[in-house]
Amino acid sequence: MSSSNDSRRILITGGAGFIGSHVVRRFVKDSNYYVINLDKLTYAGNLDNLRDIENESNYEFVKGDICDEDLVHQLFKDHDFDGIVHLAAESHVDRSISNPLEFAQTNVIGTLTLLEVAKNNWKEGKNKLFYHISTDEVYGSLDEEGLFTEKTPYDPKSPYSSSKASSDHFVRAYGNTYELPYVISNCSNNYGPNHFPEKLIPLLINNIKKKESLPVYGKGENIRDWLYVEDHAAAIKLIFEKGRSGETYNIGGFNEWKNIDLVEFLCDLMDKKLDNEKGTSRKLITFVKDRAGHDLRYAIDASKLSKELNWRPSVTFEEGLEKTVDWYLENEKWLEDVTSGEYMKYYKEHYSKT
Ligand code: NAD
Ligand code: TYD
């Protein structure tokens, strides 16, 4: 397939994953774009996330590794990309604690490989854009007060956040040293459809369905700021199109929840959806050993994005969570497929939460 002359050709990495699949769909539905999705299909990548758009004429999937410089170079030669939206990463903090080298490889070396190929191919960098999708976890951990702004100094504390911080630094270094046009956004915790059920919200939904225990780390007092994935995807498209080159944008929902409060809220919602007697799911809550080096609180100040680009979340947390629960209840096969086989074996071996 080839792109028409006036469409913008973009490379999206990690497009078969949770956030990436929503981002790919959004760009593919806009006929101004021709999208190449490069994804290695690790345990977190799933082409079922993209079945509805896989035959669109402005979309192509390429299975491959962002660390494979020859492959990335060939893709640049074949498509002469106008931009990259880079999401491919290892993304789960618990996995980074048991396997930090894999995180350095994909998140740091993978990003550096993309930067190097972009630099070498985009000799005339004007009108090109390297967009790195990052996390608020690079800023470290907050006490009870304050919010992360774009000016908060980096202070990553887990192997995952350290690898993302390192890749952010490399992106800025390429901007500063080689004048590579770039933009970075740092987002809070996402939730929604296609979320792999090792992260808190889909793990709880899956376990409640199966009447299995709900592991809450420590005392459940850690705080996260939750954003519906479609709102993140909308922010990403907006920043790609209208964000200023060389800038950083924080994305968040102004929606902080203490873990235990969220767990209880979700239990009650699931009871309603499953026609359970009130309180049934709460009985499954089990306090387990805390995560090593567990960051206490993340909270994002997203006012730059809302002032400059007029972005706002489109749903409340209550609405987003209900949509999410409905999606998981309607997509039992998806959940069965991703929680069977190799993943479950790995999960049970590495994450005994008792
Ligand atoms: P995910 O784990 O669901 O998906 C990652 C995708 O990247 C998968 O499809 C996987 O197959 C692919 N991938 C992994 N290694 C690869 C490699 N070497 N080459 C090519 N593809 C590879 O992750 P997600 O939650 O969708 O996160 C996407 C991005 O957004 C990540 O960069 C993450 O750091 C960032 N982010 C995530 C959150 C969140 O709450 N999930 C919040 C802020 C930022
Ligand atoms: P998670 O979804 O892994 O995202 P992150 O660590 O990137 O914020 O975890 C969200 C919060 O929930 C975090 O404070 C850890 C906690 N948590 C549990 O209490 N139990 C669990 O089984 C998981 C996966 C997370």
Side-chain angles (χ1 to χ4, degrees):
M1 274 185 284
S2 65
S3 52
S4 75
N5 285 339
D6 48 6
S7 59
R8 287 188 84 192
R9 280 147 299 175
I10 59 169
L11 175 65
I12 300 184
T13 69
F18 166 45
I19 301 170
S21 59
H22 295 275
V23 172
V24 164
R25 181 173 297 98
R26 218 162 250 273
F27 277 102
V28 168
K29 289 206 160 167
D30 179 344
S31 59
N32 291 313
Y33 291 95
Y34 188 86
V35 176
I36 306 294
N37 171 14
L38 173 63
D39 197 298
K40 189 179 165 186
L41 298 182
T42 66
Y43 77 97
N46 185 350
L47 290 178
D48 285 341
N49 295 342
L50 293 164
R51 288 286 167 233
D52 57 320
I53 54 114
E54 68 185 0
N55 294 321
E56 295 295 334
S57 60
N58 62 339
Y59 172 69
E60 258 178 71
F61 174 70
V62 177
K63 181 169 188 249
D65 192 331
I66 55 167
C67 302
D68 181 345
E69 190 171 350
D70 291 343
L71 169 67
V72 178
H73 181 70
Q74 192 56 48
L75 289 176
F76 267 77
K77 287 285 166 231
D78 292 347
H79 296 283
D80 188 20
F81 293 118
D82 298 302
I84 304 182
V85 183
H86 171 37
L87 298 106
E90 287 296 332
S91 66
H92 189 42
V93 174
D94 291 333
R95 282 182 189 249
S96 82
I97 293 169
S98 45
N99 196 356
L101 289 183
E102 200 176 10
F103 281 65
Q105 180 63 24
T106 293
N107 299 2
V108 184
I109 302 299
T111 302
L112 196 46
T113 305
L114 293 171
L115 286 166
E116 191 58 12
V117 175
K119 179 198 84 181
N120 291 335
N121 279 277
W122 288 344
K123 296 290 180 210
E124 192 48 59
K126 260 207 227 139
N127 301 326
K128 307 284 188 189
L129 187 65
F130 190 106
Y131 181 1
H132 187 224
I133 309 304
S134 193
T135 166
D136 61 352
E137 303 188 26
V138 298
Y139 299 121
S141 180
L142 291 163
D143 293 327
E144 267 99 71
E145 297 293 311
L147 299 172
F148 296 134
T149 74
E150 288 81 1
K151 296 201 164 68
T152 303
Y154 276 31
D155 186 18
K157 295 188 183 294
S158 74
Y160 165 65
S161 55
S162 301
S163 68
K164 292 297 291 187
S166 171
S167 51
D168 284 359
H169 287 320
F170 271 113
V171 174
R172 292 195 181 96
Y174 270 63
N176 181 60
T177 312
Y178 310 110
E179 295 181 10
L180 187 84
Y182 75 90
V183 68
I184 296 174
S185 59
N186 298 85
C187 189
S188 62
N189 287 58
N190 286 213
Y191 68 97
N194 303 344
H195 205 183
F196 198 79
E198 64 183 353
K199 308 270 173 68
L200 182 66
I201 289 181
L203 179 132
L204 294 171
I205 296 172
N206 186 38
N207 287 17
I208 291 172
K209 271 191 72 201
K210 295 191 168 139
K211 301 188 175 52
E212 288 176 7
S213 69
L214 309 176
V216 175
Y217 297 166
K219 295 182 180 155
E221 283 175 350
N222 304 67
I223 293 171
R224 297 292 181 265
D225 170 1
W226 295 93
L227 181 68
Y228 190 58
V229 64
E230 284 295 354
D231 286 328
H232 187 192
I236 288 173
K237 189 156 183 286
L238 188 63
I239 291 169
F240 183 76
E241 290 171 341
K242 303 219 165 95
R244 286 183 292 136
S245 182
E247 291 289 318
T248 297
Y249 295 89
N250 280 355
I251 311 172
F254 289 107
N255 177 45
E256 291 180 52
W257 282 76
K258 196 182 269 192
N259 287 344
I260 188 62
D261 295 340
L262 188 159
V263 175
E264 290 180 351
F265 184 73
L266 186 56
C267 283
D268 295 347
L269 177 60
M270 287 293 286
D271 283 347
K272 266 195 226 144
K273 294 280 175 187
L274 296 172
D275 273 335
N276 288 338
E277 195 182 315
K278 192 163 189 272
T280 305
S281 299
R282 286 190 186 210
K283 290 188 192 129
L284 299 170
I285 294 173
T286 313
F287 292 94
V288 299
K289 189 163 164 266
D290 208 352
R291 172 186 281 170
H294 197 172
D295 287 342
L296 177 66
R297 174 172 169 256
Y298 306 141
I300 276 277
D301 178 351
S303 52
K304 174 175 172 181
L305 181 60
S306 58
K307 275 189 207 128
E308 263 190 37
L309 301 182
N310 204 20
W311 172 88
R312 280 188 181 67
S314 69
V315 292
T316 64
F317 187 57
E318 288 74 6
E319 288 164 346
L321 204 59
E322 186 157 1
K323 277 171 184 266
T324 305
V325 165
D326 288 344
W327 185 86
Y328 279 91
L329 295 179
E330 283 159 17
N331 288 274
E332 289 208 311
K333 181 161 175 348
W334 185 95
L335 200 52
E336 271 311 308
D337 288 349
V338 302
T339 54
S340 58
E342 282 309 297
Y343 155 70
M344 247 359 228
K345 214 172 111 220
Y346 182 95
Y347 189 83
K348 281 188 174 141
E349 277 165 13
H350 288 77
Y351 307 119
S352 166
K353 298 189 175 185
T354 45

